[in-house]
Amino acid sequence: MNVAEKIAFINEALGNKYPSPKSELQYQSPYQLLIATMLAAQSTDKKVNMITETLFKVCPDAESMSRTDPEEIRSMVRSINYNNTKAKNILAASCLLMENFGGQVPDSREELETLPGVGRKTANVVLSNAFGKPVMPVDTHVHRVSNRIGLVATDNPRDTEDGLIAIIPENRVIDFHHYLLLHGRYTCKARKPLCSECPLVPACDYPAKNY
C-alpha cells in the first residue's frame, strides 16, 4: 500500500474499533485538561484520573489553584511521578494564567508554551482536545505506531508530528491522533505488540510481526 492507501485503511479499521475516539483523561474544562496533561508526563491516564478526581474538587480552576498553598498541591499529587516539579509547575502556570490570560487557557501554541511545564506535546493535546485544532500531539505511542506501520520514518517526535501533518487530511487529524494513540496503548504495544489481534496487519510494515 502507498501512504494514502494506508491512511484510508487505518481510518476505516480503527474508526470501526474506536467510533468515538477521545482522550482518556477526565476533565471538565480546558484548564482541567491542561493540568491533567501536565500530570500525565511519565505517568498513565488512569493514575492521573485518580489524582485529579480529588485535585479538581479542591481546585477546579486557575483562580482556586493559584490561591492554594504549594504544600497542599504537592500533597494532592504526591503519588504521581516527579510530584514536586509538577506541583510547582501547576501552581506557577495557574498564577500566570491569572496574571496574563484572565484565568483562561489560551488557544495558541505560542501562548501555551509560555506556561511552566508546558511543552509542545502538552500544548498540542490541549489545542486538539479542548479547542478542536488540527494538530498532532506525538507521544511514545503515536511515534512508535506511525513508524512501525510505515506512515513515517522518523527518529524524533517533532519529525513524526511534521510527517503526519503533511500526509493526513486536516479534517481527520484529531481522530487519527486518537486512533494511533489508542492502538499503541492497547494493541501495538512497545515490547509485545498483539499482532495476532491487530486489524492493521495488511497495512503494516513492521518486520517483526508477532503471530
Side-chain angles (χ1 to χ4, degrees), residues 79-96:
S79 60
I80 204 79
N81 293 335
Y82 309 106
N83 57 80
N84 286 327
T85 298
K86 290 180 179 180
K88 290 177 182 177
N89 285 339
I90 287 171
L91 178 56
S94 300
C95 290
L96 279 180

PDB file of all heavy atoms in Angstrom, residues 79-96:
ATOM      1  N   SER A  79       1.385  11.055  44.798  1.00  0.00           N
ATOM      2  CA  SER A  79       1.574   9.704  44.266  1.00  0.00           C
ATOM      3  C   SER A  79       1.988   9.681  42.796  1.00  0.00           C
ATOM      4  O   SER A  79       2.253   8.601  42.244  1.00  0.00           O
ATOM      5  CB  SER A  79       0.294   8.884  44.440  1.00  0.00           C
ATOM      6  OG  SER A  79      -0.788   9.477  43.752  1.00  0.00           O
ATOM      7  N   ILE A  80       2.096  10.838  42.153  1.00  0.00           N
ATOM      8  CA  ILE A  80       2.480  10.891  40.747  1.00  0.00           C
ATOM      9  C   ILE A  80       3.999  10.993  40.619  1.00  0.00           C
ATOM     10  O   ILE A  80       4.677  11.478  41.531  1.00  0.00           O
ATOM     11  CB  ILE A  80       1.812  12.094  40.033  1.00  0.00           C
ATOM     12  CG1 ILE A  80       1.700  11.859  38.516  1.00  0.00           C
ATOM     13  CG2 ILE A  80       2.577  13.379  40.300  1.00  0.00           C
ATOM     14  CD1 ILE A  80       0.573  10.975  38.129  1.00  0.00           C
ATOM     15  N   ASN A  81       4.546  10.539  39.518  1.00  0.00           N
ATOM     16  CA  ASN A  81       5.976  10.690  39.276  1.00  0.00           C
ATOM     17  C   ASN A  81       6.346  12.168  39.203  1.00  0.00           C
ATOM     18  O   ASN A  81       5.596  12.983  38.670  1.00  0.00           O
ATOM     19  CB  ASN A  81       6.373  10.012  37.956  1.00  0.00           C
ATOM     20  CG  ASN A  81       6.230   8.511  38.013  1.00  0.00           C
ATOM     21  OD1 ASN A  81       6.277   7.916  39.082  1.00  0.00           O
ATOM     22  ND2 ASN A  81       6.044   7.884  36.858  1.00  0.00           N
ATOM     23  N   TYR A  82       7.520  12.521  39.727  1.00  0.00           N
ATOM     24  CA  TYR A  82       8.030  13.891  39.693  1.00  0.00           C
ATOM     25  C   TYR A  82       7.032  14.872  40.313  1.00  0.00           C
ATOM     26  O   TYR A  82       6.789  15.959  39.788  1.00  0.00           O
ATOM     27  CB  TYR A  82       8.364  14.313  38.249  1.00  0.00           C
ATOM     28  CG  TYR A  82       9.239  13.327  37.528  1.00  0.00           C
ATOM     29  CD1 TYR A  82       8.724  12.499  36.541  1.00  0.00           C
ATOM     30  CD2 TYR A  82      10.592  13.200  37.850  1.00  0.00           C
ATOM     31  CE1 TYR A  82       9.525  11.578  35.884  1.00  0.00           C
ATOM     32  CE2 TYR A  82      11.404  12.283  37.198  1.00  0.00           C
ATOM     33  CZ  TYR A  82      10.866  11.472  36.224  1.00  0.00           C
ATOM     34  OH  TYR A  82      11.670  10.555  35.579  1.00  0.00           O
ATOM     35  N   ASN A  83       6.469  14.475  41.453  1.00  0.00           N
ATOM     36  CA  ASN A  83       5.389  15.253  42.048  1.00  0.00           C
ATOM     37  C   ASN A  83       5.826  16.650  42.480  1.00  0.00           C
ATOM     38  O   ASN A  83       5.043  17.600  42.372  1.00  0.00           O
ATOM     39  CB  ASN A  83       4.757  14.502  43.219  1.00  0.00           C
ATOM     40  CG  ASN A  83       5.777  14.139  44.298  1.00  0.00           C
ATOM     41  OD1 ASN A  83       6.158  14.945  45.128  1.00  0.00           O
ATOM     42  ND2 ASN A  83       6.217  12.880  44.272  1.00  0.00           N
ATOM     43  N   ASN A  84       7.055  16.802  42.954  1.00  0.00           N
ATOM     44  CA  ASN A  84       7.498  18.131  43.393  1.00  0.00           C
ATOM     45  C   ASN A  84       7.541  19.115  42.229  1.00  0.00           C
ATOM     46  O   ASN A  84       7.017  20.230  42.320  1.00  0.00           O
ATOM     47  CB  ASN A  84       8.883  18.048  44.052  1.00  0.00           C
ATOM     48  CG  ASN A  84       8.832  17.435  45.439  1.00  0.00           C
ATOM     49  OD1 ASN A  84       7.863  17.603  46.161  1.00  0.00           O
ATOM     50  ND2 ASN A  84       9.878  16.705  45.802  1.00  0.00           N
ATOM     51  N   THR A  85       8.161  18.685  41.146  1.00  0.00           N
ATOM     52  CA  THR A  85       8.264  19.555  39.975  1.00  0.00           C
ATOM     53  C   THR A  85       6.888  19.843  39.387  1.00  0.00           C
ATOM     54  O   THR A  85       6.581  20.990  39.023  1.00  0.00           O
ATOM     55  CB  THR A  85       9.154  18.902  38.911  1.00  0.00           C
ATOM     56  OG1 THR A  85      10.475  18.733  39.447  1.00  0.00           O
ATOM     57  CG2 THR A  85       9.223  19.761  37.653  1.00  0.00           C
ATOM     58  N   LYS A  86       6.061  18.826  39.288  1.00  0.00           N
ATOM     59  CA  LYS A  86       4.736  19.015  38.717  1.00  0.00           C
ATOM     60  C   LYS A  86       3.882  19.937  39.574  1.00  0.00           C
ATOM     61  O   LYS A  86       3.141  20.784  39.057  1.00  0.00           O
ATOM     62  CB  LYS A  86       4.054  17.662  38.505  1.00  0.00           C
ATOM     63  CG  LYS A  86       4.686  16.837  37.397  1.00  0.00           C
ATOM     64  CD  LYS A  86       4.003  15.498  37.202  1.00  0.00           C
ATOM     65  CE  LYS A  86       4.652  14.702  36.071  1.00  0.00           C
ATOM     66  NZ  LYS A  86       4.017  13.388  35.862  1.00  0.00           N
ATOM     67  N   ALA A  87       3.969  19.790  40.883  1.00  0.00           N
ATOM     68  CA  ALA A  87       3.198  20.668  41.776  1.00  0.00           C
ATOM     69  C   ALA A  87       3.636  22.120  41.608  1.00  0.00           C
ATOM     70  O   ALA A  87       2.798  23.038  41.538  1.00  0.00           O
ATOM     71  CB  ALA A  87       3.371  20.221  43.224  1.00  0.00           C
ATOM     72  N   LYS A  88       4.935  22.350  41.532  1.00  0.00           N
ATOM     73  CA  LYS A  88       5.448  23.707  41.337  1.00  0.00           C
ATOM     74  C   LYS A  88       4.980  24.283  40.001  1.00  0.00           C
ATOM     75  O   LYS A  88       4.572  25.450  39.923  1.00  0.00           O
ATOM     76  CB  LYS A  88       6.977  23.705  41.401  1.00  0.00           C
ATOM     77  CG  LYS A  88       7.542  23.438  42.784  1.00  0.00           C
ATOM     78  CD  LYS A  88       9.070  23.392  42.742  1.00  0.00           C
ATOM     79  CE  LYS A  88       9.638  23.070  44.116  1.00  0.00           C
ATOM     80  NZ  LYS A  88      11.131  22.951  44.083  1.00  0.00           N
ATOM     81  N   ASN A  89       5.036  23.474  38.952  1.00  0.00           N
ATOM     82  CA  ASN A  89       4.625  23.951  37.633  1.00  0.00           C
ATOM     83  C   ASN A  89       3.130  24.232  37.569  1.00  0.00           C
ATOM     84  O   ASN A  89       2.694  25.196  36.928  1.00  0.00           O
ATOM     85  CB  ASN A  89       5.007  22.931  36.556  1.00  0.00           C
ATOM     86  CG  ASN A  89       6.496  22.939  36.251  1.00  0.00           C
ATOM     87  OD1 ASN A  89       7.193  23.911  36.517  1.00  0.00           O
ATOM     88  ND2 ASN A  89       6.993  21.846  35.697  1.00  0.00           N
ATOM     89  N   ILE A  90       2.337  23.392  38.199  1.00  0.00           N
ATOM     90  CA  ILE A  90       0.885  23.599  38.219  1.00  0.00           C
ATOM     91  C   ILE A  90       0.545  24.920  38.894  1.00  0.00           C
ATOM     92  O   ILE A  90      -0.276  25.698  38.396  1.00  0.00           O
ATOM     93  CB  ILE A  90       0.186  22.423  38.928  1.00  0.00           C
ATOM     94  CG1 ILE A  90       0.214  21.178  38.046  1.00  0.00           C
ATOM     95  CG2 ILE A  90      -1.257  22.786  39.296  1.00  0.00           C
ATOM     96  CD1 ILE A  90      -0.250  19.924  38.750  1.00  0.00           C
ATOM     97  N   LEU A  91       1.174  25.173  40.023  1.00  0.00           N
ATOM     98  CA  LEU A  91       0.917  26.430  40.729  1.00  0.00           C
ATOM     99  C   LEU A  91       1.403  27.624  39.910  1.00  0.00           C
ATOM    100  O   LEU A  91       0.676  28.618  39.742  1.00  0.00           O
ATOM    101  CB  LEU A  91       1.613  26.417  42.090  1.00  0.00           C
ATOM    102  CG  LEU A  91       1.471  27.696  42.929  1.00  0.00           C
ATOM    103  CD1 LEU A  91       0.001  28.049  43.159  1.00  0.00           C
ATOM    104  CD2 LEU A  91       2.216  27.552  44.255  1.00  0.00           C
ATOM    105  N   ALA A  92       2.616  27.538  39.378  1.00  0.00           N
ATOM    106  CA  ALA A  92       3.174  28.649  38.599  1.00  0.00           C
ATOM    107  C   ALA A  92       2.354  28.912  37.348  1.00  0.00           C
ATOM    108  O   ALA A  92       2.083  30.063  36.991  1.00  0.00           O
ATOM    109  CB  ALA A  92       4.627  28.356  38.236  1.00  0.00           C
ATOM    110  N   ALA A  93       1.939  27.843  36.659  1.00  0.00           N
ATOM    111  CA  ALA A  93       1.137  28.003  35.445  1.00  0.00           C
ATOM    112  C   ALA A  93      -0.215  28.630  35.774  1.00  0.00           C
ATOM    113  O   ALA A  93      -0.707  29.494  35.033  1.00  0.00           O
ATOM    114  CB  ALA A  93       0.939  26.651  34.756  1.00  0.00           C
ATOM    115  N   SER A  94      -0.800  28.229  36.878  1.00  0.00           N
ATOM    116  CA  SER A  94      -2.094  28.781  37.287  1.00  0.00           C
ATOM    117  C   SER A  94      -1.976  30.264  37.608  1.00  0.00           C
ATOM    118  O   SER A  94      -2.847  31.070  37.239  1.00  0.00           O
ATOM    119  CB  SER A  94      -2.634  28.015  38.490  1.00  0.00           C
ATOM    120  OG  SER A  94      -2.821  26.643  38.184  1.00  0.00           O
ATOM    121  N   CYS A  95      -0.900  30.633  38.282  1.00  0.00           N
ATOM    122  CA  CYS A  95      -0.675  32.049  38.594  1.00  0.00           C
ATOM    123  C   CYS A  95      -0.488  32.872  37.324  1.00  0.00           C
ATOM    124  O   CYS A  95      -1.028  33.980  37.201  1.00  0.00           O
ATOM    125  CB  CYS A  95       0.533  32.196  39.513  1.00  0.00           C
ATOM    126  SG  CYS A  95       0.268  31.570  41.193  1.00  0.00           S
ATOM    127  N   LEU A  96       0.258  32.324  36.364  1.00  0.00           N
ATOM    128  CA  LEU A  96       0.468  33.045  35.105  1.00  0.00           C
ATOM    129  C   LEU A  96      -0.823  33.147  34.299  1.00  0.00           C
ATOM    130  O   LEU A  96      -1.064  34.153  33.627  1.00  0.00           O
ATOM    131  CB  LEU A  96       1.545  32.362  34.280  1.00  0.00           C
ATOM    132  CG  LEU A  96       2.998  32.675  34.673  1.00  0.00           C
ATOM    133  CD1 LEU A  96       3.958  31.918  33.775  1.00  0.00           C
ATOM    134  CD2 LEU A  96       3.277  34.171  34.588  1.00  0.00           C
TER     135      LEU A  96
END
